[in-house]
Every structure is written in structure tokens, then in C-alpha cells.
Amino acid sequence: MTVSTGRRTPRADCTAGPGGGITFDLDLGRREDEEAPELLLRLRGAKGGDGHTVRLPLSPLRDGRLRAVLPGTAEPAEGRWDVYLREPGTQDGAAVAVEPGIRDLRLLVDQVPQSGRVAVRIPYPTLDGRLAVRCWLRAPHAEAGPVTLDGHGMTVEGTLYGTGLGADARVEARPPGADGRVLRVPVTGKEGTFAFTLPLDGLADGAVTEPRLWTLWLIPGTAEDGPAADGPAGGVRISRILDDVWDRKKIFVYPGRSTGEGSRATPCYSTDNDLCVRLEPEPAP
């Protein structure tokens, strides 16, 4: 339940930086002698705890507005963080949801990380009109680039940050669940790039009765001077996060291809901007 503060609905203008920092500017119509409130960022779906709330003090600007800064060095967990305003002397539960104002995301376009640690935070409006921040923190990271389809194959090019490719580098397409069937293909690349071609008909194994989402992982393999970093869960998730699109599932739409097994395979992105292949029954003619 939202508790009214008797003031105007808080609205924040946001400026996102390429290093993961965000500046929040609010005009709350306050007197200069009033104690400033604070912004709370809460991890959606979390069950409480200090690690699931980020507190940002608000400081006055010369034009009467208040400013809070999420530094690029902060490391909030991956996920969606809702933004709230907490008035002085009130409990966190009385915090009020903040609405999105002007969002300046220009510096997020065509980012080039300067290190293996990739931190991306994008302020965005939720479907019900509130302000939230989508956070990613990857080290290492495989950034997907062009995706093309030729015949029954899907070719992906991209950029690899934070690790290199060994002679046995590969990409794994993993099905949902734990049935153990994984499709592996070799990956090539040099100077921080990678490329691979996934045969889409290799995903089908008999009749497909319902949609299945295969996830794509890059396994760097063994480097010449020692083991390459495989990253979390035995691989590096292939995603596309280095721009200003917080949810590309319905924006980046690719054509599907018949696998010849009564199913259809279509490259797609998840709501978390992870590159996937959706395998589903072939539609009736």
C-alpha cells in the first residue's frame, strides 16, 4: 500500500553514464531549510535484507532541485531495482514510488568498456508508470553483435570482454531443464572478437510439442598461457547489454527457420537481453 506524504508525486530526471553511474534529479518544491529525503533502490523480488536496498542521499542544487548519484563503482546485484522516495523520519515501508521524468541515455549507445568488468544500469519506465533501473554486472562478458541466418544455420558475431579464446573455445546451446543434451559448436575470433555458426536443425530431437528456449553460452577454453576464465556456471552468457535498450525481447525480432523435424527455430532475446533460440512446433500451413 502506498502511503501519501501530502506532497506532489515525486518524479526524477535521470542521466545515465557509460561507466554504470546514474544521476537522479528531483524537483520536490521544498524550502531550503527542510531536511532532504533519500532515494531507495529496492531489488524486485527480493525478500528484504541490507543487500537488497541501496540508499542514495539527496543533496540540494542551486536551482532548488535535489540530486542523488548512483556511482559507477557501486555493485548492485543483477536485476530490476524499483526507485522510491523516503521522507525524513519515516520508515522504509512508507517510501513512495518515484515516477520517471526525462531520461538521458545518450552515453549508453555504443559503449566500449575499458576493463573486463562490465557494469550497465539503465533507468526505464515500468508498465505501471514507475521508475526502475535495470542492472547488469558481468565479468567476463560476451556481447552479441550481428545475428544472421543462412539456410539452416544461425551465425553470430560479437565482442568478448575480460577473457580470451583458447584453441578449444566453443559455444554451447543448452535446453531448459536438466535433460543433459547440449549442442556444441566451435567458436573463432581474434583481438577480443568471436563468431560461431549454430545449425538450427541440430536443436531438434524428435517431435516438439511446446516451445522451448535454448540459452547460448561461450566457453573460452584453454589459453596458450594457462586456463581461460570460464565465467559463472561453466561459461559466459551471450547477451546484448551495451546500449540503451533495457528489454529487447519484443524489439529485436528475427525470422524463424524450419528444422525439418516438425519444429521451427527462431533466434530471440529474453527479457534479460540474453541471446536465445526458441524451438517450437512448426505452425500449420
Side-chain angles (χ1 to χ4, degrees):
M1 180 178 67
T2 301
V3 179
S4 174
T5 62
R7 300 180 183 268
R8 68 176 71 175
T9 301
R11 176 173 297 180
D13 296 334
C14 303
T15 301
I22 302 177
T23 298
F24 303 88
D25 289 341
L26 295 86
D27 183 2
L28 301 178
R30 294 173 177 271
R31 303 190 310 270
E32 293 185 0
D33 59 348
E34 286 187 275
E35 184 180 355
E38 68 175 354
L39 283 187
L40 303 180
L41 273 62
R42 293 176 180 165
L43 181 61
R44 192 178 305 171
K47 298 182 179 180
D50 292 339
H52 299 144
T53 300
V54 175
R55 301 177 183 275
L56 302 177
L58 282 157
S59 302
L61 301 174
R62 290 184 177 181
D63 60 4
R65 296 184 299 167
L66 298 172
R67 171 170 292 179
V69 176
L70 176 67
T73 55
E75 295 193 359
E78 283 204 20
R80 300 175 187 271
W81 294 74
D82 296 305
V83 182
Y84 295 88
L85 182 77
R86 188 190 68 80
E87 294 286 350
T90 62
Q91 300 295 320
D92 288 356
V96 179
V98 175
E99 294 181 353
I102 298 173
R103 294 176 300 112
D104 187 349
L105 309 180
R106 291 173 293 177
L107 294 179
L108 297 181
V109 179
D110 297 326
Q111 296 185 70
V112 179
Q114 300 302 311
S115 67
R117 173 186 176 274
V118 175
V120 177
R121 289 86 185 238
I122 306 178
Y124 72 96
T126 64
L127 294 177
D128 57 356
R130 297 177 291 111
L131 178 63
V133 177
R134 183 62 175 93
C135 295
W136 289 273
L137 188 62
R138 302 285 174 89
H141 170 58
E143 177 76 0
V147 176
T148 57
L149 291 100
D150 182 11
H152 296 286
M154 164 187 165
T155 298
V156 180
E157 301 174 38
T159 306
L160 185 60
Y161 299 95
T163 188
L165 294 177
D168 55 344
R170 64 191 184 277
V171 163
E172 293 185 353
R174 303 174 182 173
D179 62 8
R181 196 169 72 86
V182 175
L183 178 61
R184 298 179 176 89
V185 296
V187 60
T188 61
K190 59 181 180 179
E191 298 179 355
T193 65
F194 68 88
F196 65 93
T197 298
L198 186 73
L200 297 178
D201 55 359
L203 302 178
D205 183 18
V208 176
T209 58
E210 59 183 17
R212 306 185 73 194
L213 201 62
W214 289 64
T215 57
L216 302 179
W217 300 78
L218 190 152
I219 312 299
T222 304
E224 293 181 358
D225 56 351
D230 272 3
V236 182
R237 191 73 172 85
I238 301 175
S239 310
R240 187 164 180 176
I241 59 177
L242 295 177
D243 55 24
D244 60 346
V245 182
W246 63 91
D247 184 351
R248 54 195 347 113
K249 180 178 180 179
K250 296 181 179 180
I251 298 176
F252 281 61
V253 179
Y254 299 96
R257 291 288 187 272
S258 174
T259 67
E261 296 285 346
S263 59
R264 190 171 187 84
T266 306
C268 63
Y269 282 97
S270 70
T271 55
D272 293 323
N273 289 6
D274 295 327
L275 184 61
C276 306
V277 179
R278 184 175 63 252
L279 189 68
E280 56 193 340
E282 184 78 67

